[in-house]
């Protein structure tokens, strides 16, 4: 019957022999004494058990093993109790159930932190009880038994060594205890023998190892560490008679393992060179000690992962983060944080308890009473009392069958009562181990609660439910008997409460109440029944949350087990059946949906705690928490799991035969000739080329890694089985010692394992569906844990953590997390089984909100990924929209944020879907004025700099504006200007979590480029990216895609589109560094024009290049000569193919040089030359072609063409920054030199001044003598010789006496005639003194000066202590201060530096608007949709970079001449110099206003809108000033706009007289509202009455050309002309920026691109402060205006401190200077010098202009506006009436003037403008405008 059942289900597969799980589970196998001992154990009778042990003849170890088996059976039986319903809490008790569900876990947490432990200690399990009840059994040494940490580590290792030795033994494993002991002793002897042989010389080490080995042997002899499975071998015996297939041989020379073999050799050399080893002789000795460093590193990485990453990755597992944060052992801050968390948890638990107590009170709970105040927070005993009262009331209400009418228990059914009482029991269990520890009343209440829970579970099932349960059981029995396992599972899930009762009855019949009959079942019945049991228990949890809790699901006669064990058993039951393929697909669908239901109900944390194979979590005080389970063991698979099964359309036999043959050849450890794990691992790598599925490839790599791990394990044990070692030692290290070679091989195998695991993990992450991915990532993680546990080093901690993160990421989207390790041939079954599990799980989760289970984007992304990889029928397009929206929601972004970045700078028109519409770009968004950047000019003497820009022409379209120039030049960072498009890297939402991310992130460097720079770079990067990928992305949400050739690329010429076919594939793997294309400007040619002290740099055309990360090779003559002839011929053939019919007929080339010359000629003609070596690299080939056609593409796509001038601007900016740095350094050096020479320089200047005064004195002395009549100064002819002497030198001053007379006093007296010429008239003396004093800058006082002059004139050479002339000179000469001199010279030296620095600092990127890419918050990324490669189906993406990093390439003279001619040919437009000061923010703002005005002039409607807007803005500003209490200044602009409310300005009589032919006018009768537009033709003088003449104007009506005649001077006729507010001088739109760049472009030379340029003259203006000339001074010679400044209140800084007669004074500001000049009628010019103090100079006429740093000058008309308060603004009546109160005649003909005055006469002009538009309101405004023209001269308020 069993064989028949198996055959029906699996189609003829043979069954494995039945083996019992526990060898001594049956009582029939026990002796009488042993049976007595077992019964005593079950009664927990310690005395009886001790007597039974004394009477036992089998020995303590054997009986210990038997009792352990029985205890394990009891643990299994504890989960067999099945009862209850699925109906939840139900009825009126729902609220109570919900609160109690919250209370139970919180109480546990509160107790945990209160007791300084992370979570509660596990309750006493059967095994723990066994250890406590067997005092006579010897136990293993515990942590407090004297063993050090080193000894404990060595003990664990030695036990594992003994187990491996027993597993490797050739003797079969015995089923008896005697056989086990024999195997242990044999393994012990083998290891001891090796110890003696290897470490006998080191007696200390030998004794240590033997001691640990003895402890390990004793532990194994006592049964410790044998594991749950014992020693039984469950593998099937190989059928030696079975027919083996021929296997598969791969072609020779094509083995995939060659690369890893070479790497193994390289790693061996590295290990020897670097001295790699896994032990350190300086530290305590034991094998694998480096694991200490690894464990510390991994523990740190694991804790960091839990704290920072896990919550975002998997919200359901965030409880682990809470637990690890309770560990406060790291620091005092961590301890304080853990205490805060503990207090918060305690408070939450008590709040929940208070809510439950209040609800029970309202529900009728009165026994005991629950009324009263809430205890204080710190009163733990009082809270325990409250908890006990709540428990008693719960038992009274729900277990005591309360009949009170007000009781809420009246509506509670059986399942609700059981659920509440189980929750109560769970909370009491935690209370008894926490705050209630040691209290008798708590223990008593716990026993009562357990009895109540059991009673509730044993309650009679209602009759109607019993009938439903019987029907369910009957249906299950029928399906069971018919072997319909799939329908059986569908009948078992889902079930209601009654159905679960029937399922429980069915299972109790087949496996017993506690599962004791399950062991008697054969396969597959046993697996099916286990699966049904798991489904039953898990469904019970949905209705009764505490069903799996400790004691809640246990009966009275069985020991309670921990909830984790209950969960683990239930999930394992289902998992065992699922991975065996039982009842596929019904069971897998049911399992996935049921696990999703549990996750949505909040039970996934419990499942994670029971089933997840993660490392231990450190809790409070460093304790280890009972979370997760120990990692499973992984061994290379040897036998197929699904042998005999097949998949339609897929042949697994070849791969299976290959594996069988490889195992026979190299996988037999018993036969040395057939044992080579390394070769076996390499054979699996060779198998990858024959695999059809990505999962098979990944499993092949993992199988290879597992076999290499086995080899590494053997080398580490040094226990033999390594005869293959020498075969893989690199020949270069054969001479190394054996120990070194072994160590090198260990290191190389470890590196190979890591490489293979990493490759398999990457492949799973990018190419496998989530189910198959989980299998690969789990095996990879478990394998790395095993490797690093023995051979781990500190740097491995991060690698294992990264793999663990991958495992978590794969597990979160799967319901079951332990898929088996299968051979490569069976891997497809894992793909199928896990795929159905995963899909069912995600579909169920997707039905409702699951934020607490997974991030929003995870389910959406999983569906999207499945659609991409072909594993789902979901539409890829819509799945992409969903995952994009979910990612934006998870990261707190919006669709609008992404759209705003995409739309910035977009210049193509768009259709309704956001795709490019049309083939031409819209030039309006660019607002460009210039076509190219041609050079840079820097005046090194003054610091003035200017740019040479080319105006647009027919050949050179406009590409950039002055705003663009300012934005690029303002960049201070000298790093390359670049914008990168990369995969997202945001924590929890980046490419590592979502490998096929639909977004990309944009980043820019430097970040201060502003909006215009960023949007230009972004649009260029997107254009290259979309062109290369062949995918166009919409600019509007949800950003759909379409082929680029259908939209954006269609605007390119057909020939270019044919050449630039999208990239179809990438040669890199998806997990490698992302492929990208780089649009770079690597260099720019330049030359210098000779210009004296001016640095005049000219630029050639910048070169743009596209490459794949490495610059393209230059295809020049030198490169061509390196090519072989065949390569040259292939390139030439490609050129001829491109030419087609246009190629010239040439003779075949006979020499290689001829081929080179032809290719060079082709390159000069601009033809594309491709290299054969580049054709194999898609990115390089596309880059070469795109670079070649870039200029033609730029003609169609201006956003790409803009990169050329932007590159030149970047080069100019870098030059200016570097030149500023050099000038600053030079100025610093000059200042340092001036500082050292300042005193000497001052002394020289002093001497120079003295020498000058000597000459002055000589002239004055000669004049005095002549005035006295001494006409002949040299009557004695003393000075006629050529000796250089003169009368003035020798007689007028005495400083040259020694030189002139050489002690000959008599001769001096004779020649100078001293006595006769010493008499001076007093009046003349005073006049001379006044003359000298006025010339001297020191202005010596007369009382000192006159005596000195008198002494000098009487005796120039005389004097005391010096000559009289020198005494006089000392009074007259100006003192030179060395510090002041150095300051003045330093200012002169620094002036050019400061000027250039100020100009650069004044630049502002696009009016200060920050770019959208760089404007994100710190840590936030800018996301954009990524265009995937069209040929990859959306699975691969190509990223892009735009980089402007120009390197200057100097041109030789002949090259410079050729470049100059090229530029003049291609840029025939005007070239202008734009000074740097004209790029400042203020200037650009004015230019923008003029640009707006110019655009407004193109249309009357736009003009009216512009003027109205400008008026509103000005009026708003004035209103704000009035509200703030400020009096606004007069503004002509407002008055001008107020006259132009309708776009027309009414003319006065004088303006009408000046009209010219062709003037555009508007005529309106003042009694009418309808105007007519006319054009003036001619003005006629006609004769009227005798002797009277008058003028008439002939006009033509616009549109009809009808001639009419009007007297435009009639008062009832309003004549208006178009407003011209802020009209630029030129009407050409391209010259809108002429205020910033208006070169002398008139004349033939300028129009032809001449390079003779003049600086732009400053536009004259009288408006303050624009009228001020900065850096311009007027000469101070001879034009000073000396006036009485004291009358104007000036007292300081005047000439000789006399303000009654001075031409200068001390002024604080230029405004003060200008105002004083305005008050003086004779003043024509003022100059303001900044200093300390500042000085104002007044001039009575215009003097010569000159440049002077720090000077400000202006004419007398250049004054600030009058700030005095004007008269109060009158109303309309006061405005239009004269002093006599009459209305002017000009207004008599206005329509309804009386009504207008009645309605608006009392209002001011501002109030009238705020009134709604009406006929009277417009009449009032016209009347005010007319009055403004009549009375404007005296009314300041009219200009507002």
């Amino acid at each position: 019957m069993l064989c028949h059942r198996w055959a029906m289900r699996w189609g003829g597969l043979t069954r494995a022999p039945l083996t019992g799980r526990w060898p001594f589970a049956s009582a029939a196998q026990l002796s009488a004494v042993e049976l007595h001992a077992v019964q005593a154990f079950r009664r927990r009778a310690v005395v009886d058990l001790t007597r039974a042990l004394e009477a036992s003849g089998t020995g303590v170890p054997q009986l210990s093993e038997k009792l352990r088996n029985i205890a394990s059976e009891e643990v299994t039986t504890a989960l067999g109790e099945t009862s209850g319903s699925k109906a939840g809490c139900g009825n009126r008790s729902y609220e109570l159930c919900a609160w109690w569900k919250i209370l139970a876990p919180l109480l546990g947490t509160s107790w945990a932190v209160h007791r300084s432990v992370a979570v509660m200690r596990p309750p006493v399990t059967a095994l723990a009880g066994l250890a406590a009840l067997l005092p006579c059994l010897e136990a293993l040494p515990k942590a407090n038994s004297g063993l050090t940490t080193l000894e404990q580590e060595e003990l664990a290792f030695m036990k594992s060594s003994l187990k491996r030795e027993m597993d490797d033994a050739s003797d079969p494993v015995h089923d008896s205890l005697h056989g086990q002991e024999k195997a242990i002793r044999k393994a012990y002897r083998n290891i001891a023998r090796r110890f003696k042989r290897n470490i006998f010389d080191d007696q200390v080490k030998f004794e240590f190892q033997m001691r640990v080995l003895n402890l390990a042997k004793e532990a194994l002899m006592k049964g410790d560490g044998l594991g749950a499975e014992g020693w039984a071998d469950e593998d099937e015996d190989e059928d030696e008679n079975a027919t083996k297939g021929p296997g598969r041989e791969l072609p020779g020379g094509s083995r995939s393992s060659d690369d890893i073999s070479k790497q193994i050799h390289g790693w061996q050399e590295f290990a020897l060179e670097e001295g790699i080893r896994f032990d350190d002789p300086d530290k305590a000795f034991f094998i694998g000690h480096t694991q200490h460093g690894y464990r510390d590193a991994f523990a740190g990485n694991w804790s960091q992962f839990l704290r920072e990453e896990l919550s975002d990755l998997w919200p359901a597992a965030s409880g682990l983060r809470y637990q690890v944060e309770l560990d406060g052992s790291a620091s005092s801050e961590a301890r304080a944080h853990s205490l805060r968390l503990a207090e918060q948890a305690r408070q939450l638990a008590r709040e929940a308890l208070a809510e439950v107590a209040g609800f029970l009170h309202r529900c009728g709970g009165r026994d005991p009473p629950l009324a009263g105040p809430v205890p204080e927070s710190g009163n733990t005993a009082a809270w325990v009392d409250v908890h006990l009262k709540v428990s008693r009331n719960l038992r009274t209400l729900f277990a005591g069958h309360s009949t009170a009418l007000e009781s809420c228990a009246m509506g509670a059914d059986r399942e609700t009562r059981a659920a509440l009482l189980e929750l109560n029991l769970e909370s009491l269990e935690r209370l008894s181990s926490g705050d209630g520890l040691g209290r008798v009343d708590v223990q008593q209440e716990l026993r009562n609660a357990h009895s109540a829970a059991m009673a509730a579970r044993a309650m009679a099932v209602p009759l109607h439910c019993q009938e439903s349960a019987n029907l369910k059981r009957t249906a299950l029995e029928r399906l069971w008997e018919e072997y319909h396992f799939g329908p059986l599972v569908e009948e078992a899930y889902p079930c209601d409460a009654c159905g679960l009762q029937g399922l429980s009855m069915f299972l109790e019949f087949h496996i017993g109440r506690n599962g004791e009959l399950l062991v008697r079942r054969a396969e597959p019945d046993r697996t099916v029944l286990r699966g049904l049991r798991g489904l039953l228990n898990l469904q019970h949890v949905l209705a009764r949350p505490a069903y799996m809790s400790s004691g809640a699901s246990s009966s009275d006669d069985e020991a309670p087990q921990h909830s984790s064990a209950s969960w683990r058993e239930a999930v394992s039951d289902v998992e065992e059946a699922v991975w065996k393929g039982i009842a596929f697909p019904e069971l897998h669908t049911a399992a996935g949906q049921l696990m999703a239901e549990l996750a949505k109900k909040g039970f996934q944390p419990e499942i994670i705690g029971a089933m997840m194979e993660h490392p231990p979590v450190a809790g409070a005080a460093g304790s280890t928490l009972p979370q997760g389970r120990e990692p499973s063991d992984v061994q290379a698979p040897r036998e197929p799991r699904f042998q005999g099964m097949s998949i339609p359309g897929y042949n697994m036999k070849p791969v299976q035969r290959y594996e069988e043959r490889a195992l026979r050849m190299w996988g037999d450890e018993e036969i040395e000739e057939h044992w080579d794990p390394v070769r076996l691992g390499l054979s699996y790598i060779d198998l990858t080329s024959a695999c059809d599925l990505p999962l098979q490839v990944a499993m092949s790599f993992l199988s290879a890694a597992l076999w290499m791990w086995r080899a590494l394990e053997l080398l580490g044990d040094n226990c033999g089985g390594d005869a293959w070692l020498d075969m893989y030692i690199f020949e270069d290290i054969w001479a190394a010692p054996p120990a070194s070679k072994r160590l090198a091989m260990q290191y190389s195998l470890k590196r190979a394992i890591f490489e293979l695991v990493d490759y398999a993990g990457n492949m799973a992450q990018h190419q496998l569906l989530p189910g198959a991915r989980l299998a690969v990532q789990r095996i990879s993680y478990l394998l790395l844990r095993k490797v690093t546990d023995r051979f781990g080093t500190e740097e491995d901690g991060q690698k294992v953590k990264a793999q663990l993160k991958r495992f978590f990421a794969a597990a979160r989207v799967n319901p079951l997390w332990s898929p088996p390790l299968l051979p490569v041939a069976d891997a497809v079954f894992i793909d199928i089984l896990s795929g159905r599990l995963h899909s069912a799980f995600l579909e169920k989760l997707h039905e409702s909100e699951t934020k607490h289970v997974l991030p929003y984007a995870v389910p959406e992304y999983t569906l999207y990924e499945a659609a991409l990889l072909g594993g789902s029928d979901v539409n890829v397009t819509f799945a992409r929209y969903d995952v994009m929206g979910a990612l934006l929601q998870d990261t707190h972004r919006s669709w609008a944020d992404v759209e705003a970045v995409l739309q910035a700078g977009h210049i193509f028109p768009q259709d309704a879907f956001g795709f490019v519409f049309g083939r031409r770009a819209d030039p309006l968004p660019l607002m460009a004025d210039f076509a190219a950047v041609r050079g840079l000019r820097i005046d090194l003497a003054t610091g003035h700099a200017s740019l040479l820009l080319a105006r647009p022409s027919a050949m050179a379209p406009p590409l950039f504006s002055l705003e663009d120039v300012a934005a690029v030049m303002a960049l201070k960072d000298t790093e390359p200007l670049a914008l990168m498009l990369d995969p997202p890297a945001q924590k929890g939402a980046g490419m590592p979590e979502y490998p096929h991310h639909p977004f990309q992130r944009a980043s820019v460097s430097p970040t201060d480029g502003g909006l215009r720079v960023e949007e230009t770079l972004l649009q260029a990067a997107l254009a290259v990216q979309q062109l290369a990928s062949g995918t166009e992305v919409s600019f509007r949400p949800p950003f759909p895609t379409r082929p680029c050739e259908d939209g954006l690329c269609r605007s390119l010429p057909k020939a270019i589109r044919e050449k630039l076919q999208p990239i179809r594939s990438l040669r890199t793997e998806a997990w490698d560094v992302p492929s990208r294309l780089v649009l770079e400007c690597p260099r720019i040619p330049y030359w210098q024009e000779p210009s004296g002290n001016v640095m005049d740099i000219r630029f050639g055309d910048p070169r743009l290049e596209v490459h794949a990360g490495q610059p393209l090779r230059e295809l020049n003559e030198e490169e061509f000569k390196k090519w072989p002839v065949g390569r040259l011929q292939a390139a030439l053939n490609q050129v001829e193919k491109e030419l087609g019919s246009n190629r010239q007929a040439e003779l075949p080339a006979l020499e290689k040089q001829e081929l080179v010359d032809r290719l060079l000629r082709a390159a000069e003609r601009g033809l594309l030359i491709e290299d054969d070596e580049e054709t194999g690299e898609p990115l390089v080939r596309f880059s070469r072609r795109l670079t070649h056609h870039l200029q033609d593409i730029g003609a169609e796509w201006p956003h790409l063409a803009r990169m050329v001038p932007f590159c030149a601007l970047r080069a100019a900016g870098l030059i200016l920054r570097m030149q500023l740095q050099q000038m600053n350094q030079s100025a610093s050096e000059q200042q340092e030199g001036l500082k050292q020479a300042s005193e000497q320089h001052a002394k020289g200047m002093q001497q120079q001044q003295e020498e000058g005064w000597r000459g002055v004195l000589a002239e004055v002395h000669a004049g005095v003598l002549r005035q006295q009549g001494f006409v002949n100064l040299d009557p004695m002819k003393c000075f006629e010789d050529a000796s250089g002497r003169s009368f003035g030198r020798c007689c007028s001053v005495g400083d040259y006496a020694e030189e002139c007379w050489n002690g000959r006093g008599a001769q001096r007296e004779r020649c100078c005639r001293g006595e006769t010429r010493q008499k001076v008239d007093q009046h003349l003396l005073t006049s001379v003194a006044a003359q000298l004093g006025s010339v001297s800058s020191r202005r010596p006082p007369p009382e000192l000066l006159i005596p000195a002059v008198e002494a000098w004139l009487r005796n120039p050479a005389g004097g005391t202590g010096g000559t009289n002339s020198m005494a006089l000179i000392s009074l007259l000469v100006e003192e030179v201060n060395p510090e002041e001199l150095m300051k003045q010279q330093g200012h002169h030296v620094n002036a050019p530096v400061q000027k250039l620095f100020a100009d650069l600092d004044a630049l502002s990127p696009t009016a200060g608007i920050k770019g959208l890419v760089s404007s994100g918050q710190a840590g936030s990324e800018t996301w954009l949709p990524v265009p995937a490669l069209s040929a990859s189906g959306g699975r691969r993406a190509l990223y892009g970079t735009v980089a402007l990093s120009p390197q200057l390439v100097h041109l030789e003279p002949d090259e410079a001449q050729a470049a100059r001619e090229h530029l003049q040919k291609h840029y025939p437009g005007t070239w202008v110099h734009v000074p740097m000061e004209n790029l400042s923010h203020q200037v650009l703002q004015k230019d923008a206003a003029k640009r707006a005005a110019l655009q407004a002039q193109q249309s009357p409607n736009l003009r009216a809108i512009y003027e109205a807007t400008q008026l509103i803005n000005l009026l708003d500003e004035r209103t704000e000033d009035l509200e703030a209490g400020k009096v606004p200044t007069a503004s002509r602009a407002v008055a001008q706009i107020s006259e132009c409310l309708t776009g027309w300005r009414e003319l006065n009589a004088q303006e009408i007289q000046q009209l010219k032919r062709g003037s555009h006018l508007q005529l309106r009768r003042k009694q009418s509202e309808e105007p007519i537009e006319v054009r003036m033709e001619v003005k006629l003088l006609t004769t009227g009455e005798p002797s009277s003449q008058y003028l008439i104007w002939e006009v033509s009506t616009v549109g009809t050309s009808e001639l009419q005649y009007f007297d435009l001077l009639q008062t009832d006729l309003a004549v208006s002309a178009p407003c011209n507010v802020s009209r630029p001088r030129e009407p050409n739109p391209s010259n809108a920026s002429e205020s910033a760049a208006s070169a002398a472009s008139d004349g033939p030379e300028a129009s032809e691109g001449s390079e003779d340029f003049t600086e732009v003259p400053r536009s004259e203006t009288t408006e303050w402060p624009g009228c001020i000339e900065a850096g311009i001074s007027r000469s101070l010679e001879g034009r000073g205006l000396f006036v009485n400044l004291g009358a104007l209140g000036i007292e300081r800084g005047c000439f000789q401190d006399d303000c009654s007669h001075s031409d200068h004074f001390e002024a604080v500001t230029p405004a003060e200077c200008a105002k004083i000049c305005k008050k003086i009628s004779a003043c024509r010019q003022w100059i303001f010098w900044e200093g300390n103090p500042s000085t104002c100079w007044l001039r009575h006429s215009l003097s010569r202009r000159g440049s002077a740093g720090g000077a400000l000058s202006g004419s007398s008309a250049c004054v600030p506006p009058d700030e005095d308060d004007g008269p109060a603004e009158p109303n309309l009546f006061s405005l239009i009436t004269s002093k006599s109160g009459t209305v002017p005649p000009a207004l008599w003909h206005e329509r309804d003037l009386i009504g207008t005055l009645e309605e608006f006469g009392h209002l001011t002009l501002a109030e009238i403008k705020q009134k709604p538009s009406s006929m009277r309101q417009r009449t009032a405004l016209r009347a005010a405008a007319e009055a403004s023209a009549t009375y404007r001269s005296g009314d300041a308020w009219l200009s507002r």
Side-chain angles (χ1 to χ4, degrees), residues 925-962:
L926 295 179
M927 299 299 295
D929 302 315
F930 302 97
V933 181
R934 296 279 56 93
L936 173 68
R937 178 181 292 176
I938 307 174
D939 191 338
L940 301 180
T942 63
H944 285 78
S946 59
L947 287 172
L948 177 58
L949 307 179
R951 288 286 191 184
S953 64
M955 299 180 61
L959 293 176
F960 63 100
S961 64
L962 290 181

Side-chain angles (χ1 to χ4, degrees), residues 360 367-371 384-394:
L360 287 175
D367 185 18
L370 291 172
V384 173
D385 293 339
V386 171
H387 196 163
L388 293 177
K389 291 180 181 180
V390 168
S391 176
R392 291 164 188 162
N393 276 277
L394 271 172

Side-chain angles (χ1 to χ4, degrees), residues 687-750:
L687 180 60
T688 56
S689 59
C691 295
D692 299 325
L693 302 176
L695 177 58
Q696 290 181 323
V697 177
M699 295 303 293
S700 295
F701 283 116
L702 288 181
S703 297
L706 287 168
W707 285 112
M708 290 187 180
W709 158 240
R710 180 58 182 153
L712 177 60
E713 196 176 26
L714 291 174
L715 291 179
D717 291 344
N718 197 14
C719 301
D722 54 3
W724 41 267
L725 175 61
D726 292 337
M727 297 173 56
Y728 300 98
I729 297 298
F730 190 36
E731 57 184 9
D732 290 354
I733 64 172
W734 281 350
S740 299
K741 291 189 290 185
R742 174 181 291 269
L743 189 60
M745 189 63 185
Q746 289 178 355
Y747 176 75
S748 61
L749 287 176
K750 176 190 170 184

Side-chain angles (χ1 to χ4, degrees), residues 95-117:
E95 183 179 353
L96 178 61
C97 180
W99 273 110
W100 201 257
K101 184 177 178 181
I102 296 174
L103 171 64
L106 286 176
L107 286 174
T109 306
S110 174
W111 164 82
V113 297
H114 184 64
R115 307 296 297 178
S116 300
V117 182

Side-chain angles (χ1 to χ4, degrees), residues 781-798:
Y781 163 66
L782 295 178
L783 178 56
L784 289 185
R785 285 297 304 271
K786 288 181 68 69
V787 174
T788 51
D789 278 346
R790 289 199 60 187
F791 300 95
T793 55
E794 186 173 351
E795 57 270 17
D796 296 332
Q798 180 65 28

Side-chain angles (χ1 to χ4, degrees), residues 297-315 317-322 324-325 608 612-617 781 797-798 800-812 987-988 992-993:
F298 177 69
N301 282 281
W302 168 237
S303 297
Q304 181 267 340
F305 173 70
L306 293 179
R307 294 175 185 270
E308 301 179 8
E309 302 181 44
L310 182 60
S311 296
D312 295 330
L313 182 69
W314 196 357
S318 57
L320 297 177
R321 173 186 175 183
Y322 169 72
V324 77
E325 286 185 350
I608 293 174
M612 197 65 187
E613 299 168 294
H614 62 69
V617 180
Y781 163 66
Q798 180 65 28
V800 180
K801 192 268 288 188
Q803 184 57 44
L804 177 61
K805 182 178 178 180
R806 286 182 174 181
F807 175 37
F808 268 83
R812 63 180 177 173
K987 177 183 175 182
E993 291 79 16

